[in-house]
């Protein structure tokens, strides 16, 4: 007997059934120099400059007008994050941030970290269509997006050619806000500074994924965070698309699987 598990999604006080979406042709949104992206400095534990964004982004009821893209797999609001050892949420430091893959990334070893904000109508339409196809029960027409991509990045202390490629996409219509976390290729979880193996990039304190409001109360840890299981995050999802996690994060948080799981045997 093969077991299939269906998550329920939180949605403004009620639970929506999980429904699988048909596969997309490309998991990642377009990125790189050909797209006009900016690129983070090549530096251990580095970050972008503070980026003033064109539309305020509502996150857990607070609106933010700037952000940082941090080399170690984090998009943060209000302050950059240089910490390379991932901690479980909630954090005591009070920094609100989105963590597609908080880990000891080292782009001196390999890879690039790209980012841009855009009001391109084609990309905005694609995001609106994604929200619709994943059957989130809300009408959403974004007017702004921010795309941060960690492309083929290595880990601190690496003596291998293992690399990770993942992405965080933020989108808003000025009031409603979504984040999408996309995982194209995950080959390592831990740098040697966190006791990871120099050759495999595994073991030690593995990566953390999810988001934290900064108020020590509201947060979400993607299952597998800070365990060896995070290596398989590209096979997991809350929307029926392996490697994709989608959340509404402005006030009521939609898209977080509830502790209850309906399991169907086939």
């Amino acid at each position: 007997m093969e077991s299939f598990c269906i998550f329920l999604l939180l949605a403004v006080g009620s639970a929506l059934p999980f429904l699988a979406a048909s596969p997309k042709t490309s998991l990642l949104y377009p990125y790189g120099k050909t797209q006009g992206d900016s690129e983070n400095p090549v530096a251990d534990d580095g970050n972008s400059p503070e980026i003033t964004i064109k539309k305020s982004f509502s996150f857990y009821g607070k609106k933010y007008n700037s952000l940082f893209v941090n080399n170690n797999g984090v998009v943060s609001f209000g302050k950059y994050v240089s910490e390379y050892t991932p901690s479980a949420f909630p954090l005591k430091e009070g920094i609100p941030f989105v963590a597609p893959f908080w880990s000891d990334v080292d782009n001196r070893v390999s890879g690039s970290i790209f980012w841009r904000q855009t009001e391109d109508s084609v990309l905005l339409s694609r995001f609106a269509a994604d929200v619709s196809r994943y059957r989130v029960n809300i009408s959403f027409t974004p007017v702004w997006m921010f795309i941060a991509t960690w492309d083929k990045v290595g880990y601190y202390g690496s003596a291998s050619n293992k690399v990770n490629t993942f992405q965080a996409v933020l989108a808003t219509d000025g009031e409603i806000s979504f984040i999408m976390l996309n995982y194209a290729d995950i080959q390592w979880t831990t740098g040697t500074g966190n006791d990871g193996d120099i050759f495999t990039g595994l073991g030690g304190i593995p990566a953390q994924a999810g988001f934290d409001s900064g108020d020590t109360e509201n947060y979400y840890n993607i299952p597998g965070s800070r365990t060896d299981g995070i290596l398989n995050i590209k096979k997991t999802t809350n929307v029926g698309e392996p490697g994709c996690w989608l959340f509404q994060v402005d006030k009521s948080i939609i898209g977080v699987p509830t502790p209850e799981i309906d399991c169907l045997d086939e």
Side-chain angles (χ1 to χ4, degrees), residues 77-265:
F77 301 99
K79 185 178 180 180
Y80 66 86
V81 176
S82 60
E83 178 57 55
Y84 61 85
T85 302
S87 299
F89 301 149
L91 301 175
K92 298 179 181 179
E93 290 79 1
I95 304 174
F97 67 65
V98 177
F101 204 81
W102 184 13
S103 54
D104 199 359
V105 171
D106 193 343
N107 61 344
R108 299 173 305 173
V109 173
S110 62
S112 299
I113 300 156
F114 296 108
W115 53 268
R116 77 182 184 281
Q117 52 185 320
T118 181
E119 297 169 306
D120 180 84
S121 60
V122 173
L123 292 178
L124 293 172
S125 294
R126 172 178 166 177
F127 197 94
D130 280 344
V131 170
S132 177
R133 70 197 291 273
Y134 293 142
R135 298 171 174 84
V136 175
N137 191 25
I138 191 169
S139 176
F140 181 62
T141 305
V143 296
W144 172 90
M145 290 173 58
F146 189 89
I147 304 169
T149 309
W150 288 257
D151 180 45
K152 299 180 180 66
V153 291
Y155 56 92
Y156 179 81
S158 173
S160 76
N161 59 0
K162 290 190 173 185
V163 294
N164 289 348
T165 298
F166 54 92
Q167 184 178 74
V169 182
L170 285 62
T172 186
D173 65 1
E175 295 295 332
I176 298 170
S177 299
F178 278 87
I179 60 172
M180 178 183 289
L181 307 179
N182 293 320
Y183 302 92
D185 190 20
I186 302 297
Q187 300 178 8
W188 61 267
T189 65
T190 320
T192 60
N194 292 321
D195 298 325
D197 184 89
I198 187 173
F199 298 109
T200 66
L202 304 176
I205 303 174
Q208 164 76 25
F211 45 88
D212 191 295
S213 69
D215 65 6
T216 72
E217 294 182 0
N218 296 291
Y219 60 92
Y220 181 65
N221 295 302
I222 288 181
S225 290
R226 298 180 80 245
T227 75
D228 294 340
I230 200 67
L231 184 67
N232 296 315
I233 195 169
K234 66 180 180 181
K235 300 177 182 178
T236 68
T237 181
N238 67 338
V239 292
E241 183 81 53
C244 178
W245 289 76
L246 178 69
F247 306 92
Q248 182 184 342
V249 295
D250 44 277
K251 293 180 181 178
S252 297
I253 307 303
I254 298 176
V256 177
T258 69
E260 297 180 5
I261 301 175
D262 289 339
C263 293
L264 304 179
D265 289 331

Side-chain angles (χ1 to χ4, degrees), residues 7-26:
F7 288 103
L8 301 181
L9 306 184
L10 294 179
V12 195
S14 63
L16 293 175
F18 170 92
L19 296 171
S22 56
K24 292 190 292 188
T25 56
S26 175

